[in-house]
């Protein structure tokens, strides 16, 4: 029962470096999304996808890229890391059904120095 | 404008008492869903309960129930017989037809022994 798997769980970057947060799900969910969670705040949507080959921007997309070449994978790329991107990142998936529960990965804590 | 409002940043409740966590929402979409998630200090997001906008009855899941008042646009979470393990952050979220989930800022619940 893998569910949603995020890697890495922890990462420290220097300003200007790039990296990719990996997200994979084995539930054949059409919908996948990336959120960031900052202290004292709820989750904010970065990017989402309703199926392979389809992605769209959420509330806070700047500085991040995504792609969805397969149903299972939805990587999040930081092109040039900034201290403002220090956060906890969650990947989540659900069936393409607005009533569907969102299944979350365990989160990835990113620190940008 | 805030789409999801949780007015209680923090709450202290005596063990075994019932607790109500407030959530109000704003949408013009006739079809939407409301979710509650729990986030313990370990950081994972745990799904608690879901209410659809067309559901006639209030949702219940074990000790959790959702007091859904559509006309008032409120979806309060009620936890009966609180336990020490209920201490956590609680987030209300709304999903509209575009599948995006909008989150409240959360309520930190602390159960006192």
């Amino acid at each position: 029962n893998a569910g949603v798997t995020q890697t890495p769980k922890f990462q420290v970057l220097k300003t200007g470096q790039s990296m990719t947060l990996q997200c994979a799900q084995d539930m054949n969910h059409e919908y996948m999304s990336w959120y960031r969670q900052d202290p004292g705040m709820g989750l904010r949507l970065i990017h989402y996808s309703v199926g392979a080959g389809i992605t769209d921007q959420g509330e806070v997309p700047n500085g991040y890229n995504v792609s969805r070449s397969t149903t299972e994978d939805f990587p999040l790329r930081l092109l040039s890391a900034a201290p403002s991107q220090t956060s906890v990142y969650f990947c989540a998936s659900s069936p393409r059904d607005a009533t569907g529960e969102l299944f979350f990965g365990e989160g990835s804590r990113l620190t940008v120095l | 404008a805030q789409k999801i409002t949780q007015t209680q940043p923090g709450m202290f409740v005596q063990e075994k008492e019932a607790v109500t966590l407030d959530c109000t929402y704003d949408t013009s979409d006739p079809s939407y869903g409301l979710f509650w998630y729990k986030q313990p200090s370990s950081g994972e997001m745990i799904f608690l309960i879901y209410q659809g906008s067309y559901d006639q009855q209030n949702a219940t899941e074990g000790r959790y129930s959702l007091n859904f008042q559509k006309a008032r646009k409120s979806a309060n979470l009620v936890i009966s017989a609180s336990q020490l393990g209920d201490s956590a952050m609680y987030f209300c979220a709304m999903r509209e037809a575009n599948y995006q989930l909008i989150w409240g800022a959360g309520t930190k619940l602390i159960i006192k022994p």
Side-chain angles (χ1 to χ4, degrees):
Chain A
N1 285 350
V4 179
T5 303
Q6 279 182 241
T7 56
K9 288 189 171 44
F10 300 94
Q11 183 73 48
V12 178
L13 289 178
K14 293 182 180 177
T15 297
Q17 286 184 319
S18 62
M19 76 156 299
T20 300
L21 295 174
Q22 302 290 346
C23 177
Q25 52 93 7
D26 61 359
M27 297 171 282
N28 203 32
H29 286 165
E30 297 95 333
Y31 181 88
M32 294 186 75
S33 52
W34 276 102
Y35 292 89
R36 61 179 287 173
Q37 184 179 28
D38 299 308
M41 299 181 70
L43 278 69
R44 291 186 292 168
L45 183 64
I46 304 171
H47 286 284
Y48 67 100
S49 168
V50 297
I54 306 168
T55 63
D56 208 344
Q57 296 181 351
E59 183 186 355
V60 288
N62 292 343
Y64 307 95
N65 273 0
V66 292
S67 59
R68 185 95 180 269
S69 56
T70 66
T71 299
E72 295 78 20
D73 300 300
F74 191 47
L76 177 73
R77 295 182 188 86
L78 281 70
L79 306 172
S80 177
S84 60
Q85 293 178 304
T86 293
S87 189
V88 178
Y89 292 84
F90 286 97
C91 178
S93 74
S94 77
R96 192 173 178 175
D97 171 355
T99 67
E101 170 193 344
L102 210 58
F103 292 80
F104 282 86
E106 293 181 342
S108 299
R109 184 174 294 275
L110 174 67
T111 302
V112 182
L113 303 175
Chain B
Q2 285 274 23
K3 285 204 162 187
I4 293 284
T5 303
Q6 294 180 253
T7 57
Q8 307 150 309
M11 287 187 73
F12 287 89
V13 172
Q14 201 67 41
E15 190 180 8
K16 300 193 177 77
E17 290 184 350
V19 57
T20 298
L21 304 180
D22 295 340
C23 174
T24 57
Y25 60 93
D26 183 27
T27 182
S28 55
D29 194 333
S31 177
Y32 54 90
L34 295 155
F35 299 78
W36 278 92
Y37 279 82
K38 172 184 179 182
Q39 187 178 40
S41 57
S42 49
E44 72 268 31
M45 299 294 288
I46 301 169
F47 168 74
L48 295 178
I49 198 165
Y50 166 81
Q51 179 85 41
S53 58
Y54 294 120
D55 293 342
Q56 296 295 318
Q57 302 218 339
N58 286 346
T60 60
E61 291 285 349
R63 293 187 299 112
Y64 304 107
S65 61
L66 203 151
N67 183 1
F68 182 47
Q69 298 187 44
K70 198 169 181 177
R72 296 181 61 188
K73 293 189 174 179
S74 77
N76 298 339
L77 177 71
V78 180
I79 306 174
S80 63
S82 57
Q83 302 170 356
L84 296 178
D86 294 333
S87 294
M89 284 291 290
Y90 288 81
F91 291 98
C92 177
M94 176 176 66
R95 195 172 204 181
E96 295 172 308
N98 63 6
Y99 301 102
Q100 294 191 41
L101 213 62
I102 308 297
W103 296 79
T107 295
K108 184 169 185 175
L109 176 65
I110 297 174
I111 307 298
K112 299 183 292 183

mmCIF file of all heavy atoms in Angstrom, chain A residues 58-90:
data_model
loop_
_atom_site.group_PDB
_atom_site.id
_atom_site.type_symbol
_atom_site.label_atom_id
_atom_site.label_comp_id
_atom_site.label_asym_id
_atom_site.label_seq_id
_atom_site.Cartn_x
_atom_site.Cartn_y
_atom_site.Cartn_z
ATOM 1 N N GLY A 58 -1.885 26.833 -9.968
ATOM 2 C CA GLY A 58 -2.722 27.088 -8.817
ATOM 3 C C GLY A 58 -2.539 28.516 -8.336
ATOM 4 O O GLY A 58 -2.312 29.428 -9.129
ATOM 5 N N GLU A 59 -2.595 28.673 -7.043
ATOM 6 C CA GLU A 59 -2.562 30.002 -6.419
ATOM 7 C C GLU A 59 -1.167 30.628 -6.418
ATOM 8 O O GLU A 59 -1.025 31.844 -6.582
ATOM 9 C CB GLU A 59 -3.078 29.865 -4.984
ATOM 10 C CG GLU A 59 -3.183 31.138 -4.175
ATOM 11 C CD GLU A 59 -3.564 30.857 -2.734
ATOM 12 O OE1 GLU A 59 -3.836 29.686 -2.393
ATOM 13 O OE2 GLU A 59 -3.577 31.818 -1.930
ATOM 14 N N VAL A 60 -0.124 29.809 -6.255
ATOM 15 C CA VAL A 60 1.236 30.332 -6.104
ATOM 16 C C VAL A 60 2.207 29.601 -7.032
ATOM 17 O O VAL A 60 3.130 28.915 -6.577
ATOM 18 C CB VAL A 60 1.693 30.262 -4.623
ATOM 19 C CG1 VAL A 60 0.985 31.280 -3.777
ATOM 20 C CG2 VAL A 60 1.504 28.842 -4.054
ATOM 21 N N PRO A 61 2.078 29.740 -8.358
ATOM 22 C CA PRO A 61 2.894 28.938 -9.279
ATOM 23 C C PRO A 61 4.290 29.482 -9.573
ATOM 24 O O PRO A 61 5.139 28.745 -10.096
ATOM 25 C CB PRO A 61 2.052 28.956 -10.550
ATOM 26 C CG PRO A 61 1.385 30.320 -10.508
ATOM 27 C CD PRO A 61 1.106 30.573 -9.052
ATOM 28 N N ASN A 62 4.527 30.765 -9.247
ATOM 29 C CA ASN A 62 5.784 31.383 -9.681
ATOM 30 C C ASN A 62 6.999 30.722 -9.051
ATOM 31 O O ASN A 62 7.061 30.520 -7.843
ATOM 32 C CB ASN A 62 5.767 32.878 -9.340
ATOM 33 C CG ASN A 62 4.743 33.635 -10.170
ATOM 34 O OD1 ASN A 62 4.281 33.139 -11.200
ATOM 35 N ND2 ASN A 62 4.371 34.816 -9.717
ATOM 36 N N GLY A 63 7.976 30.409 -9.913
ATOM 37 C CA GLY A 63 9.212 29.785 -9.446
ATOM 38 C C GLY A 63 9.199 28.267 -9.503
ATOM 39 O O GLY A 63 10.193 27.631 -9.151
ATOM 40 N N TYR A 64 8.069 27.713 -9.946
ATOM 41 C CA TYR A 64 7.906 26.254 -9.987
ATOM 42 C C TYR A 64 7.418 25.808 -11.368
ATOM 43 O O TYR A 64 6.621 26.493 -11.992
ATOM 44 C CB TYR A 64 6.870 25.785 -8.969
ATOM 45 C CG TYR A 64 7.084 26.255 -7.549
ATOM 46 C CD1 TYR A 64 6.439 27.402 -7.080
ATOM 47 C CD2 TYR A 64 7.894 25.542 -6.680
ATOM 48 C CE1 TYR A 64 6.613 27.831 -5.782
ATOM 49 C CE2 TYR A 64 8.073 25.970 -5.368
ATOM 50 C CZ TYR A 64 7.428 27.111 -4.926
ATOM 51 O OH TYR A 64 7.601 27.530 -3.626
ATOM 52 N N ASN A 65 7.907 24.644 -11.783
ATOM 53 C CA ASN A 65 7.409 24.014 -13.004
ATOM 54 C C ASN A 65 6.958 22.601 -12.691
ATOM 55 O O ASN A 65 7.512 21.937 -11.805
ATOM 56 C CB ASN A 65 8.519 23.936 -14.064
ATOM 57 C CG ASN A 65 8.578 25.192 -14.902
ATOM 58 O OD1 ASN A 65 7.800 26.121 -14.711
ATOM 59 N ND2 ASN A 65 9.501 25.215 -15.838
ATOM 60 N N VAL A 66 5.994 22.127 -13.466
ATOM 61 C CA VAL A 66 5.560 20.738 -13.329
ATOM 62 C C VAL A 66 5.381 20.144 -14.709
ATOM 63 O O VAL A 66 5.286 20.848 -15.716
ATOM 64 C CB VAL A 66 4.226 20.602 -12.560
ATOM 65 C CG1 VAL A 66 4.384 20.973 -11.095
ATOM 66 C CG2 VAL A 66 3.127 21.426 -13.221
ATOM 67 N N SER A 67 5.326 18.828 -14.738
ATOM 68 C CA SER A 67 4.984 18.095 -15.955
ATOM 69 C C SER A 67 4.247 16.829 -15.530
ATOM 70 O O SER A 67 4.386 16.373 -14.397
ATOM 71 C CB SER A 67 6.228 17.747 -16.771
ATOM 72 O OG SER A 67 7.119 16.953 -16.002
ATOM 73 N N ARG A 68 3.486 16.273 -16.437
ATOM 74 C CA ARG A 68 2.730 15.041 -16.135
ATOM 75 C C ARG A 68 2.784 14.158 -17.382
ATOM 76 O O ARG A 68 1.878 14.134 -18.196
ATOM 77 C CB ARG A 68 1.286 15.385 -15.777
ATOM 78 C CG ARG A 68 0.479 14.166 -15.336
ATOM 79 C CD ARG A 68 0.469 14.016 -13.853
ATOM 80 N NE ARG A 68 -0.282 12.863 -13.420
ATOM 81 C CZ ARG A 68 -1.590 12.873 -13.112
ATOM 82 N NH1 ARG A 68 -2.285 14.010 -13.236
ATOM 83 N NH2 ARG A 68 -2.186 11.784 -12.684
ATOM 84 N N SER A 69 3.887 13.428 -17.494
ATOM 85 C CA SER A 69 4.044 12.561 -18.661
ATOM 86 C C SER A 69 3.370 11.214 -18.454
ATOM 87 O O SER A 69 3.042 10.531 -19.428
ATOM 88 C CB SER A 69 5.523 12.373 -18.991
ATOM 89 O OG SER A 69 6.210 11.874 -17.854
ATOM 90 N N THR A 70 3.154 10.815 -17.216
ATOM 91 C CA THR A 70 2.456 9.561 -16.923
ATOM 92 C C THR A 70 1.384 9.826 -15.872
ATOM 93 O O THR A 70 1.429 10.850 -15.176
ATOM 94 C CB THR A 70 3.403 8.479 -16.375
ATOM 95 O OG1 THR A 70 3.892 8.899 -15.097
ATOM 96 C CG2 THR A 70 4.580 8.239 -17.317
ATOM 97 N N THR A 71 0.455 8.909 -15.741
ATOM 98 C CA THR A 71 -0.563 9.036 -14.699
ATOM 99 C C THR A 71 0.057 8.989 -13.307
ATOM 100 O O THR A 71 -0.385 9.658 -12.384
ATOM 101 C CB THR A 71 -1.608 7.903 -14.824
ATOM 102 O OG1 THR A 71 -2.241 8.012 -16.092
ATOM 103 C CG2 THR A 71 -2.665 8.000 -13.735
ATOM 104 N N GLU A 72 1.133 8.207 -13.160
ATOM 105 C CA GLU A 72 1.689 7.941 -11.836
ATOM 106 C C GLU A 72 2.543 9.072 -11.271
ATOM 107 O O GLU A 72 2.624 9.251 -10.070
ATOM 108 C CB GLU A 72 2.552 6.671 -11.882
ATOM 109 C CG GLU A 72 1.794 5.387 -12.177
ATOM 110 C CD GLU A 72 1.455 5.231 -13.645
ATOM 111 O OE1 GLU A 72 2.100 5.880 -14.502
ATOM 112 O OE2 GLU A 72 0.509 4.466 -13.951
ATOM 113 N N ASP A 73 3.235 9.825 -12.134
ATOM 114 C CA ASP A 73 4.277 10.736 -11.654
ATOM 115 C C ASP A 73 3.923 12.200 -11.902
ATOM 116 O O ASP A 73 3.422 12.561 -12.966
ATOM 117 C CB ASP A 73 5.609 10.406 -12.333
ATOM 118 C CG ASP A 73 6.056 8.995 -12.034
ATOM 119 O OD1 ASP A 73 6.250 8.694 -10.841
ATOM 120 O OD2 ASP A 73 6.182 8.195 -12.975
ATOM 121 N N PHE A 74 4.304 13.015 -10.924
ATOM 122 C CA PHE A 74 4.021 14.454 -11.041
ATOM 123 C C PHE A 74 5.136 15.220 -10.336
ATOM 124 O O PHE A 74 4.985 15.693 -9.214
ATOM 125 C CB PHE A 74 2.659 14.756 -10.422
ATOM 126 C CG PHE A 74 2.132 16.142 -10.693
ATOM 127 C CD1 PHE A 74 2.154 16.683 -11.965
ATOM 128 C CD2 PHE A 74 1.581 16.895 -9.670
ATOM 129 C CE1 PHE A 74 1.653 17.948 -12.222
ATOM 130 C CE2 PHE A 74 1.066 18.165 -9.907
ATOM 131 C CZ PHE A 74 1.103 18.688 -11.182
ATOM 132 N N PRO A 75 6.288 15.371 -10.976
ATOM 133 C CA PRO A 75 7.412 16.052 -10.328
ATOM 134 C C PRO A 75 7.246 17.559 -10.285
ATOM 135 O O PRO A 75 6.666 18.156 -11.199
ATOM 136 C CB PRO A 75 8.598 15.647 -11.206
ATOM 137 C CG PRO A 75 7.995 15.357 -12.545
ATOM 138 C CD PRO A 75 6.620 14.810 -12.287
ATOM 139 N N LEU A 76 7.785 18.152 -9.255
ATOM 140 C CA LEU A 76 7.771 19.603 -9.082
ATOM 141 C C LEU A 76 9.212 20.110 -9.156
ATOM 142 O O LEU A 76 10.063 19.663 -8.394
ATOM 143 C CB LEU A 76 7.170 19.977 -7.716
ATOM 144 C CG LEU A 76 7.149 21.468 -7.374
ATOM 145 C CD1 LEU A 76 6.083 22.191 -8.194
ATOM 146 C CD2 LEU A 76 6.887 21.679 -5.878
ATOM 147 N N ARG A 77 9.460 21.042 -10.079
ATOM 148 C CA ARG A 77 10.813 21.556 -10.270
ATOM 149 C C ARG A 77 10.930 22.980 -9.757
ATOM 150 O O ARG A 77 10.094 23.832 -10.087
ATOM 151 C CB ARG A 77 11.184 21.512 -11.754
ATOM 152 C CG ARG A 77 11.256 20.120 -12.308
ATOM 153 C CD ARG A 77 11.677 20.094 -13.774
ATOM 154 N NE ARG A 77 11.552 18.743 -14.317
ATOM 155 C CZ ARG A 77 10.435 18.241 -14.820
ATOM 156 N NH1 ARG A 77 9.342 18.969 -14.875
ATOM 157 N NH2 ARG A 77 10.403 16.994 -15.274
ATOM 158 N N LEU A 78 11.960 23.189 -8.958
ATOM 159 C CA LEU A 78 12.333 24.545 -8.567
ATOM 160 C C LEU A 78 13.478 24.960 -9.472
ATOM 161 O O LEU A 78 14.542 24.329 -9.477
ATOM 162 C CB LEU A 78 12.776 24.606 -7.098
ATOM 163 C CG LEU A 78 11.672 24.612 -6.043
ATOM 164 C CD1 LEU A 78 10.964 23.270 -5.964
ATOM 165 C CD2 LEU A 78 12.235 24.996 -4.686
ATOM 166 N N LEU A 79 13.269 26.006 -10.230
ATOM 167 C CA LEU A 79 14.225 26.359 -11.272
ATOM 168 C C LEU A 79 15.445 27.084 -10.704
ATOM 169 O O LEU A 79 16.574 26.825 -11.123
ATOM 170 C CB LEU A 79 13.526 27.239 -12.309
ATOM 171 C CG LEU A 79 12.241 26.607 -12.875
ATOM 172 C CD1 LEU A 79 11.507 27.599 -13.746
ATOM 173 C CD2 LEU A 79 12.555 25.333 -13.645
ATOM 174 N N SER A 80 15.221 28.009 -9.788
ATOM 175 C CA SER A 80 16.300 28.780 -9.176
ATOM 176 C C SER A 80 15.820 29.111 -7.765
ATOM 177 O O SER A 80 15.090 30.082 -7.571
ATOM 178 C CB SER A 80 16.575 30.050 -9.980
ATOM 179 O OG SER A 80 17.570 30.827 -9.349
ATOM 180 N N ALA A 81 16.205 28.281 -6.818
ATOM 181 C CA ALA A 81 15.631 28.357 -5.470
ATOM 182 C C ALA A 81 15.893 29.707 -4.813
ATOM 183 O O ALA A 81 16.972 30.296 -4.950
ATOM 184 C CB ALA A 81 16.180 27.233 -4.603
ATOM 185 N N ALA A 82 14.876 30.151 -4.068
ATOM 186 C CA ALA A 82 14.958 31.401 -3.316
ATOM 187 C C ALA A 82 14.567 31.129 -1.866
ATOM 188 O O ALA A 82 13.786 30.195 -1.609
ATOM 189 C CB ALA A 82 14.018 32.441 -3.925
ATOM 190 N N PRO A 83 15.073 31.913 -0.918
ATOM 191 C CA PRO A 83 14.704 31.691 0.497
ATOM 192 C C PRO A 83 13.195 31.687 0.726
ATOM 193 O O PRO A 83 12.708 30.994 1.618
ATOM 194 C CB PRO A 83 15.399 32.849 1.212
ATOM 195 C CG PRO A 83 16.592 33.151 0.360
ATOM 196 C CD PRO A 83 16.136 32.944 -1.051
ATOM 197 N N SER A 84 12.448 32.432 -0.101
ATOM 198 C CA SER A 84 10.991 32.473 0.047
ATOM 199 C C SER A 84 10.340 31.128 -0.278
ATOM 200 O O SER A 84 9.153 30.925 0.007
ATOM 201 C CB SER A 84 10.396 33.549 -0.867
ATOM 202 O OG SER A 84 10.694 33.269 -2.213
ATOM 203 N N GLN A 85 11.091 30.224 -0.871
ATOM 204 C CA GLN A 85 10.555 28.901 -1.182
ATOM 205 C C GLN A 85 10.813 27.892 -0.065
ATOM 206 O O GLN A 85 10.454 26.715 -0.194
ATOM 207 C CB GLN A 85 11.129 28.386 -2.509
ATOM 208 C CG GLN A 85 10.651 29.219 -3.701
ATOM 209 C CD GLN A 85 11.228 28.763 -5.013
ATOM 210 O OE1 GLN A 85 12.456 28.699 -5.171
ATOM 211 N NE2 GLN A 85 10.369 28.467 -5.965
ATOM 212 N N THR A 86 11.417 28.352 0.996
ATOM 213 C CA THR A 86 11.552 27.509 2.192
ATOM 214 C C THR A 86 10.156 27.197 2.702
ATOM 215 O O THR A 86 9.377 28.108 3.009
ATOM 216 C CB THR A 86 12.365 28.227 3.275
ATOM 217 O OG1 THR A 86 13.705 28.383 2.827
ATOM 218 C CG2 THR A 86 12.354 27.439 4.581
ATOM 219 N N SER A 87 9.828 25.910 2.765
ATOM 220 C CA SER A 87 8.466 25.527 3.094
ATOM 221 C C SER A 87 8.395 24.014 3.231
ATOM 222 O O SER A 87 9.380 23.303 2.999
ATOM 223 C CB SER A 87 7.509 26.004 1.999
ATOM 224 O OG SER A 87 6.153 25.824 2.384
ATOM 225 N N VAL A 88 7.229 23.543 3.584
ATOM 226 C CA VAL A 88 6.933 22.111 3.518
ATOM 227 C C VAL A 88 6.035 21.892 2.309
ATOM 228 O O VAL A 88 5.021 22.587 2.146
ATOM 229 C CB VAL A 88 6.247 21.596 4.796
ATOM 230 C CG1 VAL A 88 5.916 20.105 4.658
ATOM 231 C CG2 VAL A 88 7.136 21.833 6.010
ATOM 232 N N TYR A 89 6.406 20.957 1.477
ATOM 233 C CA TYR A 89 5.671 20.701 0.238
ATOM 234 C C TYR A 89 4.942 19.368 0.335
ATOM 235 O O TYR A 89 5.500 18.366 0.776
ATOM 236 C CB TYR A 89 6.637 20.679 -0.950
ATOM 237 C CG TYR A 89 7.223 22.037 -1.233
ATOM 238 C CD1 TYR A 89 8.341 22.492 -0.532
ATOM 239 C CD2 TYR A 89 6.642 22.886 -2.178
ATOM 240 C CE1 TYR A 89 8.870 23.753 -0.777
ATOM 241 C CE2 TYR A 89 7.159 24.139 -2.421
ATOM 242 C CZ TYR A 89 8.265 24.562 -1.715
ATOM 243 O OH TYR A 89 8.780 25.821 -1.945
ATOM 244 N N PHE A 90 3.695 19.396 -0.076
ATOM 245 C CA PHE A 90 2.876 18.190 -0.088
ATOM 246 C C PHE A 90 2.406 17.910 -1.512
ATOM 247 O O PHE A 90 1.922 18.804 -2.214
ATOM 248 C CB PHE A 90 1.636 18.343 0.793
ATOM 249 C CG PHE A 90 1.915 18.292 2.264
ATOM 250 C CD1 PHE A 90 2.068 19.463 3.000
ATOM 251 C CD2 PHE A 90 2.017 17.075 2.921
ATOM 252 C CE1 PHE A 90 2.316 19.416 4.357
ATOM 253 C CE2 PHE A 90 2.258 17.026 4.289
ATOM 254 C CZ PHE A 90 2.421 18.196 4.999
#
